Amino acid sequence: MRVLGINALFHDPAAALVIDGRTVAAAEEERFSRRKHGKRPVPFSAWELPVESARWCLRKSGLRPEDLDAVAYSYDPQLARPADAMGLDDPWDHLRQAYAREAPGFLASALPGLDPAKVRFVPHHMAHAASAAFAADRAERSSVLVLDGRGERASHLAARRTGASLEPLCAQELPHSLGLVYEELTARLGFLRSSDEFKVMALASYGTPRMLPELRRHVHPTGDGGFRAAGVPWHEFCPPRGPDEPWTRDHADTAASAQAVLEETLLDLVRWLHGRTGDRTLTLAGGVALNCVANSRIAREGPFDRVWVQPAAGDAGTALGAALLTAAGAGDDPGPMDGADLGREWSDAELGAWLKSAGVPFDRPPDIAAAVAEALADNAVVAWFQGRSEYGPRALGHRSLLAHPGHAGNLERLNDVKGREQFRPVAPMVLADRAAELFDGPLPSPYMLFVHDVRPGWAERIPAVVHVDGTARIQTVDAAREPLVARMLEAFERLTGLPVVVNTSLNTAGRPMVDDPRDALECFGSSPVDLLAIGPYAVRRGALFRTSPEGWSA
């Protein structure tokens, strides 16, 4: 069965291709359009489809639209209710529903040759659930929890996977939504709603949850697998903050209180779900599952032995989930993801042609991993562009900015390079078989979706990657799966004695992660990065901008 999954309605439009139950390709539209999150999550943009990512998925597999057996659209308008009937203040939501109903025709126009009768509507939260339950390894019998802003009429789903079937157990009806409450606070704190919620999580580490008792009146579990979360009077907690205004103690304490009540509620939901299933494995999806602090508390204090989080947990992941669920329903055995590197890639020859066409000076070191390790040891900032791009919001060693973790000033330096707030942390990348020596938390952690306590004696050695609360959001590297990254880490340790490298996403503030070679060259040329490692080639800032009395020379 050849199934193209589509997410389009709210935000983070994306496409994914599943063939015979196996994930072949997945990509977010933002990587093609260069618009962060693809589009804003408003009804007026709900008609926009992930056309370029869908076309790329088909090209990747040599398919034409008419070759598809099904197209799975991750929203079912038949399940929706009017916004006002659900207690939501969204007067233009009817436009969103109208666009969803017309999706088969839109898709047939965007992908000539596609029969619109092949388009199938998949409930939004079931798509989220399938993206985790079916994509996780060793999860044939597992529980799944989905939490986000909203779907058709709910904001949450608890379900259970048994083989190729997915059974819903409980859903929280709107307007109650942990995701929407967190979004409201995001806007209150001067950040971009449905985009910058991770900034609230980072800011929370600078505050204390002194407002938690009052906040619990508005956000709390109900003990039956659901919760209450609506109508929070944020004006009683902190003043509004402008985007360019400094944050205050009230802002940080409000963020800390919101983070604490979110974690408490999630723990109750997890315990309820375990009480229903008794499973050992829990999988998570939905935008709330990108809250790595909450994920770690679930892993640490929850009743499940293992917690697995979908790396594209936000709405982009529903493209994959819708395709997997549709394939499973047709009799295919859904297989787990091998990794998040499901996007575009270029051969060495193609990359060399790009560099020659751009007219930039470059060289080919005997080993790009060793060359990068030497540059990092000399405290260079390196743009790392290797292999297939990542699906989801985390840079996982394919489109990364790398730096030396032993210099505390590199945190401020990288935030300046990226043009972002100084309270934002950066992450450590470490070999999986070394991680337990340095970090205490869920291991392995290949998708950077948990936080870990930094073990005694290491915080002073790798200060650039230690957050203000003594934690780090690590990425573990499997040497068998990522031999090039592993070789770079090993070479860096030989030079410095440190088995860790700083890893943050290869982009600047407000821009999507770099995806193709042009993006990489533009980012390198416009930001103070010392070295671009693109495939086996090295582009060095000194050579790129070297001048002589005669002017430019390459």
Side-chain angles (χ1 to χ4, degrees):
M1 181 106 174
R2 293 161 292 193
V3 186
L4 180 69
I6 296 289
N7 171 62
L9 203 66
F10 292 112
H11 52 82
D12 295 296
L17 184 64
V18 171
I19 299 178
D20 297 332
R22 297 300 182 265
T23 303
V24 173
E28 293 158 86
E29 190 72 4
E30 68 166 23
R31 310 296 170 83
F32 298 81
S33 69
R34 308 310 299 159
R35 294 163 56 196
K36 187 73 171 173
H37 296 293
K39 62 185 181 66
R40 294 305 303 141
V42 295
F44 306 99
S45 67
W47 62 271
E48 295 187 44
L49 296 169
V51 176
E52 294 304 320
S53 50
R55 290 173 177 167
W56 172 78
C57 284
L58 294 175
R59 288 198 304 272
K60 172 68 179 175
S61 300
L63 296 178
R64 299 168 300 172
E66 53 265 39
D67 298 326
L68 293 168
D69 297 302
V71 174
Y73 185 86
S74 63
Y75 187 88
D76 187 349
Q78 296 300 315
L79 300 178
R81 298 169 58 203
D84 56 356
M86 296 187 292
L88 299 177
D89 182 16
D90 194 351
W92 293 102
D93 188 59
H94 63 278
L95 278 181
R96 184 181 284 120
Q97 309 307 326
Y99 290 140
R101 289 190 293 271
E102 298 299 328
F106 289 157
L107 285 163
S109 295
L111 302 172
L114 174 67
D115 180 356
K118 292 182 178 179
V119 178
R120 304 177 186 179
F121 294 116
V122 176
H124 186 71
H125 287 115
M126 287 294 285
H128 267 308
S131 79
F134 289 148
D137 63 315
R138 297 175 289 120
E140 289 77 13
R141 292 184 64 86
S142 58
S143 302
V144 57
L145 188 66
V146 172
L147 291 121
D148 64 0
R150 60 169 292 195
E152 293 87 356
R153 58 199 302 172
S155 68
H156 147 272
L157 175 69
R160 190 183 196 195
R161 175 190 174 185
T162 305
S165 69
L166 197 57
E167 176 192 5
L169 299 176
C170 182
Q172 175 57 60
E173 294 280 318
L174 293 165
H176 299 284
S177 169
L178 293 170
L180 291 181
V181 163
Y182 215 86
E183 286 183 18
E184 291 165 2
L185 178 58
T186 300
R188 183 79 180 176
L189 294 176
F191 306 126
L192 184 59
R193 182 173 181 158
S194 295
S195 173
D196 293 347
E197 283 70 27
F198 58 92
K199 296 182 183 181
V200 178
M201 182 183 67
L203 184 60
S205 297
Y206 290 82
T208 57
R210 60 185 174 89
M211 304 161 183
L212 181 56
E214 178 62 23
L215 191 52
R216 285 182 181 133
R217 295 176 55 193
H218 308 281
V219 180
H220 57 84
T222 52
D224 57 358
F227 53 86
R228 293 292 173 265
V232 179
W234 290 117
H235 63 277
E236 297 179 5
F237 292 87
C238 66
R241 171 187 167 271
D244 299 318
E245 295 176 355
W247 54 269
T248 66
R249 179 190 172 192
D250 281 347
H251 294 125
D253 289 353
T254 302
S257 302
Q259 179 67 31
V261 80
L262 173 72
E263 294 170 17
E264 288 181 353
T265 306
L266 291 178
L267 275 170
D268 184 271
L269 299 179
V270 165
R271 289 166 179 151
W272 180 90
L273 179 55
H274 186 266
R276 286 289 302 272
T277 69
D279 291 327
R280 299 182 61 185
T281 295
L282 172 70
T283 64
L284 297 173
V288 175
L290 292 172
N291 192 305
C292 55
V293 177
N295 294 345
S296 296
R297 191 167 175 191
I298 289 171
R300 183 175 64 251
E301 300 179 29
F304 289 92
D305 296 339
R306 174 176 174 245
V307 178
W308 188 94
V309 186
Q310 164 59 245
D315 274 8
T318 65
L320 175 59
L324 287 170
L325 190 64
T326 300
D332 287 345
D333 180 21
M337 294 172 61
D338 290 330
D341 50 332
L342 295 167
R344 290 187 289 178
E345 66 179 332
W346 286 263
S347 68
D348 293 351
E350 289 170 328
L351 292 174
W354 270 90
L355 296 174
K356 290 175 183 176
S357 177
V360 297
F362 65 94
D363 63 277
R364 183 169 185 163
D367 182 1
I368 191 66
V372 166
E374 291 174 7
L376 292 172
D378 288 337
N379 205 26
V381 172
V382 176
W384 177 265
F385 183 106
Q386 304 293 336
R388 297 182 70 172
S389 59
E390 297 94 341
Y391 181 47
R394 305 282 189 250
L396 301 169
H398 294 257
R399 304 290 187 271
S400 294
L401 273 174
L402 308 177
H404 195 307
H407 303 294
N410 276 344
L411 172 59
E412 181 177 354
R413 181 184 179 192
L414 284 170
N415 281 332
D416 284 342
V417 167
K418 291 166 69 74
R420 66 184 200 176
E421 300 88 353
Q422 287 299 337
F423 64 80
R424 302 268 300 279
V426 292
M429 174 190 286
V430 61
L431 284 173
D433 60 5
R434 301 293 305 280
E437 301 172 34
L438 287 75
F439 306 105
D440 180 21
L443 294 173
S445 182
Y447 300 132
M448 209 184 289
L449 284 165
F450 298 92
V451 295
H452 297 68
D453 292 324
V454 181
R455 292 193 182 278
W458 280 101
E460 300 78 13
R461 299 183 64 186
I462 52 173
V465 295
V466 182
H467 198 32
V468 65
D469 59 2
T471 66
R473 187 187 67 195
I474 78 170
Q475 178 203 350
T476 56
V477 175
D478 181 345
R481 197 180 186 287
E482 298 283 357
L484 184 66
V485 178
R487 200 160 70 243
M488 179 270 294
L489 288 167
E490 291 165 349
F492 182 76
E493 183 175 12
R494 286 195 296 270
L495 293 168
T496 66
L498 300 176
V500 168
V501 164
V502 177
N503 173 28
T504 188
S505 55
L506 181 52
N507 67 329
T508 52
R511 298 283 293 165
M513 225 184 314
V514 159
D515 197 79
D516 73 11
R518 184 189 303 277
D519 305 333
L521 288 165
E522 289 178 351
C523 185
F524 178 70
S526 63
S527 57
V529 175
D530 300 297
L531 173 70
L532 168 62
I534 180 167
Y537 309 108
V539 183
R540 305 174 193 273
R541 178 159 296 274
L544 184 62
F545 292 104
R546 187 178 298 129
T547 58
S548 67
E550 290 75 28
W552 172 269
S553 68

